[in-house]
Amino acid sequence: MKPFSSLELASFCGQIALILKAGISSLEGLTIMQEDASSPDEKEVLNALLSNMQETGSLYQAMDSLKLYPPYMLHMVQIGEETGTLDSVMASLQSHYTREDSIRKSIRNSITYPMIMVAMMALVIIVLLVKVMPVFNQVFIQLGTEMTGFSRTLMNAGTVISRYSIVFIILLAAITVFAFYGIRTASGRRLFQKIGYRLSFTRAIYDEIAACRFASGMALTLSSGLNPDRSMELVTSLNDDPIFGQKISLCQQKVQEGEDLSQALFTSGMFTGVYARMASIGSKTGSMDQVMDEIAGLYQDDIDTRMNNLLAVLEPTLVVLLSLIVGVILLSVMLPLMGIMSSI
């Protein structure tokens, strides 16, 4: 069975939090959830959890035995059981994974639309080159002449595409498999991230995503009573951005040297501007966990805004680009044709 998605994790944590806050034990809660499960896979997972928990009496051990839950979540559940704050931890985990799901949806939406537009552009151009250009060539032949220059080059390109269509189909299938590999696998996502790090307009988005995950994780761990050192150790496992990872390491080093957490966040470059000031206020007032949650929410809003702005720019740009390409192709044929017709 594949690991759970962020939305599934958020749903599971929310149900457990609701059950515990109602005064029902984890074991009874799992029994209730198992009875209400709607899918066979869900029943199978809950049966396994229930069976293991009846033996061990620990939700953490039951979840750990399935190897389906992320290490960060397992650590937090273990801390919640040890400190007697499992209901609060589960509620915080629900918020955390709901935010993770929002981040992934923002990324997916920002990628899907441009990919569809590019595919449509490619299809329109191929149809023009393969089907339309030969028709115009026949018109030129009937008028006693042939295509020349740029229009001839375009028609020859269409002929090559038509003649070697099998090769191009195989190439397209390979690109599709590569894209699927990049979206569905961890190594593929890392490869796409490395490419994204080198692009200036996506670098800022990656920075904010990493900072949002860090702030969300810190809010959860600090609210569970952990000290900043231990909190950052756990939150480090959430980070998959190597550049931001260097900032986390520097921040950890400064905290271990005795520097205040809020100051370490600023000097390491993790938080800047208003976010650094918010962290400083949270440190002075003893409400760092609440401030971190607010910072994560603000970063989420910034990510959504950046994604929407990026889409707002890409949409007209791709439409204009398609119009220009189609216009150039048609004009390369129509202008010589109009010249021939006017001389008759």
Side-chain angles (χ1 to χ4, degrees), residues 176-198:
T176 303
V177 170
F178 176 74
F180 184 83
Y181 163 80
I183 294 172
R184 295 291 182 179
T185 64
S187 56
R189 287 193 290 270
R190 284 194 296 270
L191 177 61
F192 280 164
Q193 283 176 345
K194 288 180 181 178
I195 297 172
Y197 295 150
R198 300 180 183 275

Side-chain angles (χ1 to χ4, degrees), residues 116 214 285:
I116 293 174
F214 174 82
T285 58

Side-chain angles (χ1 to χ4, degrees), residues 118-273:
V118 169
M120 290 178 62
M121 287 173 60
L123 181 61
V124 169
I125 293 169
I126 289 172
V127 170
L128 284 173
L129 296 179
V130 175
K131 298 295 183 181
V132 178
M133 294 301 286
V135 174
F136 278 110
N137 188 50
Q138 291 299 319
V139 174
F140 274 89
I141 292 173
Q142 291 173 6
L143 293 174
T145 184
E146 290 185 351
M147 286 183 175
T148 58
F150 185 60
S151 58
R152 182 75 182 182
T153 302
L154 291 175
M155 192 189 71
N156 290 339
T159 302
V160 171
I161 293 173
S162 179
R163 182 176 300 170
Y164 298 102
S165 57
I166 298 298
V167 176
F168 286 104
I169 290 173
I170 294 173
L171 181 62
L172 179 62
I175 294 172
T176 303
V177 170
F178 176 74
F180 184 83
Y181 163 80
I183 294 172
R184 295 291 182 179
T185 64
S187 56
R189 287 193 290 270
R190 284 194 296 270
L191 177 61
F192 280 164
Q193 283 176 345
K194 288 180 181 178
I195 297 172
Y197 295 150
R198 300 180 183 275
L199 304 177
S200 58
F201 64 93
T202 55
R203 175 66 253 176
I205 294 176
Y206 277 117
D207 281 338
E208 290 197 337
I209 289 173
C212 180
R213 285 174 172 163
F214 174 82
S216 178
M218 288 295 289
L220 175 55
T221 52
L222 289 172
S223 65
S224 300
L226 299 181
N227 59 42
D229 284 343
R230 180 58 177 154
S231 294
M232 275 192 283
E233 286 179 14
L234 291 175
V235 173
T236 300
S237 63
L238 295 174
N239 178 66
D240 55 6
D241 184 330
I243 296 177
F244 197 82
Q246 295 174 4
K247 296 179 181 179
I248 294 177
S249 298
L250 178 59
C251 183
Q252 285 178 302
Q253 180 183 342
K254 290 183 176 296
V255 170
Q256 290 170 358
E257 292 173 354
E259 190 170 317
D260 182 70
L261 175 60
S262 60
Q263 183 63 29
L265 291 171
F266 175 73
T267 55
S268 62
M270 296 177 66
F271 290 164
T272 57

